[in-house]
Amino acid sequence: MSKQHLIIDNGSYNIKAGFDQGEDSAPQKIYNAITRTKDGLVHIGNDFRMHSNNYSGIQIKRPFEQGHLTSWETEKPIWDYTMDQILPKHEIDPSNIHLTLTELPFQLPQLSSNTDQIVFEEYGFKEYYRCTPASLVPFSVDTTVVDPDFTLVVDAGFNATWIQPMLFQKVYWEGVRKLPVGGNLLNGLLREMISYRHYDISDDPILINTIKESTCFIAKDYNDNLKKKLQNGCQFVLPDFKTTTTGYVVGEGTPKPSEDSQVLTLQDERFTIPETFYHPEIMFDLHGTTASTSVLQNAPIKTLTDLIVSSIMSCPEITRPLLLANICLVGGTTNLPNFKTRLQSELTKELPLTWTVAVHENQNSIPQDEMSWYGGVNLVNEDVIKNISVSKKEYFEHGSNWCQKQFGFKNLS
């Protein structure tokens, strides 16, 4: 039986997992959480969607805290569930599988060692390669548009946004930056604003995420949008579990809300929440305790633009214009409308006029949140994968620190 290649992009919101099957390769998306619905039933992964149509009062336990995989007690049952979804259990033989696994940059070494231990001692995979999600992106880009040797990856996920320069398909660690703004923070801000202005929906995190994904966008010009906030309004019908279980935006082709429907009229909420990428002080303005604190209000908080410029300027001088011309957007939060347009506009204001700013999305028609997974599929077909992987034999021969020595961030001074 030939060796199988399993790629797991272990995101804190969704796991993207699947085997390399050539042109037929496609990941399965598994909700990376254990949930308890208000009827007391516990569900793993995607199961809650099939067993319940009322997500109000749902409790969500995630294995990630602030971007770090801290709880394998929570993660392992979700992985077991994921394996069952990919293929029936009897068809999976871990001792004949090469695993490519992603983790966030600068993961604490002890937490990475816990992962290595699970991979080899609990599952018994034959070979293993651990890397950051962004480091796989150069292997999935459209090389007619993006230079894979000089790529700046902007990965806006659930917990944070990472900026990661890739030089000759290797991470340039001195240039890695983090903005603590991601889908989870936007959900929290939207929950506060809607609960204060309209209805208390704080016990329905699934609904909040649905509202964000279906109504929010990044303003091309924030001040102009504020002046026209009435024109930017939309109506969102809340679930009544008769006509809709998820809610929907009123528009062409949607049913007209009934008289007893609860309808949210959203105006500036739609673009003020995502504006946190460029004005992070918004998160303090929306919180009663911090809104009146002058120290926080006047603090020089870095924006997405600041961090991208800082990242580029920390790279070798000759590579800076090349990185600026090859910015790749990945991660689910980059699906917000106008993300690319606004970022390109902001960077153009900050950098020399002689440099070309080019932001790329939808590479090779791959969804933004699957770019890393498809990069992993392409990488396992490269000869280099043999040299950068660690085998189970090597792990037990050299000890648990061997993986960190092979996969850790090496070139930091």
Side-chain angles (χ1 to χ4, degrees), residues 97-123:
I97 292 176
H98 176 287
L99 172 67
T100 299
L101 175 67
T102 67
E103 69 172 13
L104 292 181
F106 304 126
Q107 185 78 278
L108 297 172
Q110 184 56 53
L111 297 178
S112 293
S113 294
N114 292 345
T115 299
D116 303 333
Q117 182 179 346
I118 295 290
V119 165
F120 283 123
E121 298 182 29
E122 295 283 337
Y123 284 103

Side-chain angles (χ1 to χ4, degrees), residues 83-251:
M83 300 297 180
D84 288 344
Q85 299 302 305
I86 296 170
L87 283 175
K89 189 172 287 187
H90 66 272
E91 292 188 33
I92 291 183
D93 178 12
S95 64
N96 195 44
I97 292 176
H98 176 287
L99 172 67
T100 299
L101 175 67
T102 67
E103 69 172 13
L104 292 181
F106 304 126
Q107 185 78 278
L108 297 172
Q110 184 56 53
L111 297 178
S112 293
S113 294
N114 292 345
T115 299
D116 303 333
Q117 182 179 346
I118 295 290
V119 165
F120 283 123
E121 298 182 29
E122 295 283 337
Y123 284 103
F125 287 109
K126 182 178 182 179
E127 293 175 336
Y128 171 49
Y129 176 58
R130 169 164 54 79
C131 61
T132 65
S135 66
L136 297 175
V137 171
F139 297 95
S140 62
V141 298
D142 181 352
T143 54
T144 63
V145 178
V146 177
D147 185 345
D149 289 334
F150 303 98
T151 308
L152 186 75
V153 180
V154 178
D155 184 356
F158 186 63
N159 271 314
T161 299
W162 288 92
I163 298 104
Q164 194 164 313
M166 299 295 300
L167 302 182
F168 298 105
Q169 301 177 353
K170 290 185 178 180
V171 181
Y172 189 75
W173 288 105
E174 285 88 342
V176 177
R177 299 289 185 270
K178 177 185 179 182
L179 179 70
V181 176
N184 193 27
L185 176 70
L186 300 186
N187 286 355
L189 296 175
L190 186 63
R191 178 191 66 227
E192 294 294 320
M193 192 175 276
I194 290 176
S195 297
Y196 179 72
R197 293 183 174 183
H198 305 281
Y199 302 104
D200 183 4
I201 57 171
S202 55
D203 66 343
D204 200 340
I206 306 294
L207 174 61
I208 293 165
N209 193 68
T210 302
I211 295 172
K212 179 194 72 180
E213 291 182 349
S214 56
T215 66
C216 287
F217 65 92
I218 291 182
K220 293 180 181 179
D221 183 325
Y222 181 62
N223 291 326
D224 185 56
N225 276 68
L226 270 180
K227 294 173 186 174
K228 301 175 181 176
K229 67 178 184 179
L230 294 178
Q231 298 172 31
N232 287 309
C234 76
Q235 290 188 315
F236 186 91
V237 179
L238 295 173
D240 58 8
F241 308 104
K242 296 175 185 174
T243 57
T244 175
T245 59
T246 59
Y248 61 89
V249 176
V250 177

Side-chain angles (χ1 to χ4, degrees), residues 380-393:
V380 298
N381 293 302
E382 302 270 346
D383 292 335
V384 70
I385 193 68
K386 301 171 187 174
N387 302 323
I388 58 178
S389 300
V390 169
S391 68
K392 183 164 66 172
K393 180 182 176 183

